Amino acid sequence: MLQPYNRTFPRAYNRFWSAFANEHAPRIAEFYERTATGQADRTVLDLCCGTGQLAAHFLRRGYRVVGIDLSEAMLEIARENCAPYLATGQVRFIQADASNFAVDHTFGLVVSTYDALNHLPSFEALGSCFGAVSRALAPGGWFIFDLNTRSGLRRWNNIRVIEMDDMVVIDRGIYDGQSDRAYTFMTGFLRTADGLYERFEQFAYNTVFDLAKIKTALIDAGLHVTHFARGQDLNTPVDDPEREERIFILSSKAGTSAQD
Ligand SMILES: C[S@@+](CC[C@H](N)C(=O)[O-])C[C@H]1O[C@@H](n2cnc3c(N)ncnc32)[C@H](O)[C@@H]1O
């Protein structure tokens, strides 16, 4: 969960944290397009879509896209980033909670990137999200998302100073390595067009999810967990996902795409 975003943090996110979506969108698309459903159904639901970089990649590939995010400030930038596709109706952005949403048609692919689902407050919320995802998926559809693992969140227990071209961020992370919540407090300064710096503060937490329980919750939601994988190689199963700092989870819904 996040403190509501002010105007500055989403602009900083758009400029400096979009690399993850840009790097992983082509890998996810290539994985999906090799599946039977992916060859027939070019629709994607981008859950916790942030500023819309992943959505933009799928739009350029010709997909119809719906993006969902809780933050209206993030969605505002997503709409700017995808403006030509909004005008043609190829994309829609909807403000909703990932743990409690409903959509008016089904999708071949539901995706959620950059540990967005670690922002859900509890395992119950995550289970409710999986139920909504399952209902949103077409038969044979795929659900692909990544999470920070407990091992990965241990890195948060630190103070980092991040200096980039037009931004400085002081990130104070707190995690005891055992409990189910890791915290980050960011103070940042973003250079504006007039050369002055705007200050932002952002607090967020990540809930730590037990990956074995995730597998069970996905199955309970009606999904088949194919494997856990590293983002660099979505095809190769990882045997001990809890040892990874970040893990992708690939699951699918039974059935055959109606468009096959
Ligand atoms: C780390 S960003 C990831 C954004 C994007 N998926 C990406 O790859 O860059 C997390 C996003 O999750 C959104 N978010 C957090 N909690 C949410 C919730 N309960 N429902 C929907 N979106 C949520 C935030 O507003 C933010 O845009």
Side-chain angles (χ1 to χ4, degrees):
M1 191 63 186
L2 304 141
Q3 190 187 40
Y5 293 145
N6 66 16
R7 288 266 172 277
T8 309
F9 179 75
R11 285 199 286 111
Y13 189 95
N14 188 44
R15 279 170 60 185
F16 298 104
W17 281 283
S18 53
F20 186 92
N22 288 334
E23 180 186 343
H24 291 282
R27 294 174 177 154
I28 293 169
E30 280 154 28
F31 176 91
Y32 174 66
E33 287 167 14
R34 279 200 288 268
T35 68
T37 302
Q39 283 169 26
D41 185 339
R42 297 288 162 103
T43 54
V44 58
L45 174 62
D46 183 2
L47 199 52
C48 307
C49 62
T51 49
Q53 274 83 13
L54 185 124
H57 179 86
F58 279 89
L59 288 164
R60 289 192 292 274
R61 286 175 103 99
Y63 284 69
R64 297 186 71 78
V65 178
V66 172
I68 285 181
D69 202 279
L70 195 56
S71 164
E72 198 45 65
M74 295 294 261
L75 288 172
E76 206 174 288
I77 295 182
R79 290 189 187 102
E80 284 171 20
N81 286 337
C82 300
Y85 303 97
L86 262 184
T88 62
Q90 197 182 326
V91 64
R92 276 188 300 143
F93 289 103
I94 300 169
Q95 199 242 339
D97 188 329
S99 61
N100 180 23
F101 70 92
V103 277
D104 53 13
H105 62 94
T106 56
F107 296 83
L109 174 64
V110 179
V111 66
S112 188
T113 52
Y114 215 177
D115 51 80
L117 296 183
N118 283 106
H119 291 97
L120 295 182
S122 63
F123 199 79
E124 288 66 37
L126 187 68
S128 168
C129 168
F130 290 167
V133 167
S134 183
R135 289 187 290 280
L137 275 175
W142 283 80
F143 177 35
I144 301 176
F145 65 104
D146 67 277
L147 290 175
N148 276 324
T149 64
R150 190 180 298 279
S151 313
L153 287 167
R154 289 198 173 110
R155 283 172 308 150
W156 277 29
N157 198 35
N158 224 324
I159 295 182
R160 291 184 305 151
V161 178
I162 308 161
E163 287 190 70
M164 298 182 228
D165 282 352
D166 288 340
M167 185 174 71
V168 178
V169 178
I170 301 150
D171 182 7
R172 286 146 292 164
I174 298 177
Y175 183 47
D176 64 10
Q178 310 297 324
S179 60
D180 287 341
R181 202 161 276 186
Y183 302 89
T184 168
F185 303 85
M186 277 185 267
T187 305
F189 301 88
L190 177 69
R191 190 153 66 172
T192 57
D194 57 14
L196 299 175
Y197 280 80
E198 257 176 35
R199 175 177 169 145
F200 61 86
E201 308 241 338
Q202 188 62 47
F203 159 72
Y205 65 72
N206 264 201
T207 305
V208 186
F209 294 116
D210 179 326
L211 296 175
K213 282 194 193 160
I214 292 226
K215 195 168 177 175
T216 308
L218 285 164
I219 292 166
D220 288 349
L223 298 171
H224 168 70
V225 181
T226 55
H227 60 281
F228 295 90
R230 298 189 183 109
Q232 298 87 327
D233 180 8
L234 294 176
N235 290 298
T236 305
V238 163
D239 291 337
D240 190 356
E242 291 285 7
R243 290 178 67 124
E244 305 293 319
E245 293 188 344
R246 174 184 301 283
I247 198 75
F248 277 73
I249 298 131
L250 297 97
S251 58
S252 62
K253 185 162 160 171
T256 310
S257 164
Q259 298 176 43
D260 281 351

